Amino acid sequence: MMQIPGSNGLGPVHAAGGYPPGGGYGAPPGGGGYGAPPGGGFGAPPGGGFGAPPGGGGYGAPPGGGFGPPPGGGGYGPPPGGGYPPAGGGMMMGGGGRVNYSGGGGSLFSVYLLGIFLPVLGVELVLGGSAAAVIAATRDSATNQPSAVGGVLGGMLLLLMYVGIFFVAVAGMNKLLKYYWDNITIEGKRCAYHGTAGGLISTMIVPLLITMCTMGIYTPWYICKMKSWIYSQVDVSGERLAYNGDGGSLLGIWLLGSILTSLTFGIYFPWYHNNLLEYEWNNTSISGRGFRFQKDPGGFFGMWLLNTLLMVCTCFIYTPWAISNQWEWEAKHIG
């Protein structure tokens, strides 16, 4: 807390060194103390007490039969500002968390199926199947090798397949982002995601290439650039989110977490993921009001382990529910 100059929280200090001048008020003239009031005490008021109000019967109710509602009707309503904590405050009291997620695995499954799985499968079947057909049709029966023309055409089709999968996957990622943010409320205000697949691709393509050329070392900067763009595309009832993280400060968290997760065969992942979420939300604000993430690696570990087992047992059909469970857990720990 910042102190006001010349103050210790009790008011200004007197110029003469205390209250009052000279170090105290001293005894009354004549010594011996102030003594009792004349007559041996103050005694009771005249008439033996204050008694009842004139007219008897007590004071009664206020005029009009009670205090009633405030002028204008409708109750007193919430306090100004919607009852949410100030910047940097913790969780809301009595109204749920500051951030809430309302989605579910069932509705996310349709986005996952129609937005990612089926489009990627379609690209593989069309372009991958075409490449295989071209190679098979130009194969020499004697050498069992495709002709030069067939090999080139087949290779080009395979290259197009991989490029197509990339663009379709990014478009699907954008649909997942829209689903997530459209099911998030912050301080009681519904979020709306306005990012496009084209904008997402143009934002990620250069950082992704740099990450590949640096053998992954550029990953923290890539993460921060993506987060910054994504948050800038989220509207919160007229307010905007801002992400202030940078790759330099994230590098240590990312490097240590990656090493420990690898050395422990993935067991350290819940702790690593909590550290990433803490960095992300602690560097995020809405109109200048910051967030705080409350880490709980033990709680996340149990959820993560159960989700992993269910995904494996269901041949990964459970994936949308696992993702939704993780988003809900994350929202509950943001204050």
Side-chain angles (χ1 to χ4, degrees), residues 240-282:
R240 288 283 181 172
L241 294 174
Y243 179 76
N244 302 311
D246 65 273
S249 58
L250 180 59
L251 179 61
I253 298 173
W254 171 79
L255 188 60
L256 179 62
S258 299
I259 293 173
L260 291 177
T261 300
S262 299
L263 292 177
T264 59
F265 300 100
I267 296 177
Y268 185 75
F269 175 74
W271 285 264
Y272 175 38
H273 189 67
N274 268 255
N275 291 336
L276 290 177
L277 290 176
E278 180 187 41
Y279 181 87
E280 175 183 347
W281 283 104
N282 288 6

Side-chain angles (χ1 to χ4, degrees), residues 116 119-120 123-124 127 158-174 197 200-206 208-209 212 222:
I116 298 179
V120 169
V123 171
E124 290 181 347
L127 294 177
L158 287 175
L159 179 61
L160 286 175
M161 182 190 73
Y162 290 123
V163 172
I165 289 175
F166 170 77
F167 283 103
V168 168
V170 173
M173 184 190 305
N174 194 68
L200 184 60
I201 291 172
S202 63
T203 301
M204 72 184 301
I205 191 68
V206 173
L208 182 60
L209 291 174
M212 295 170 63
Y222 169 74

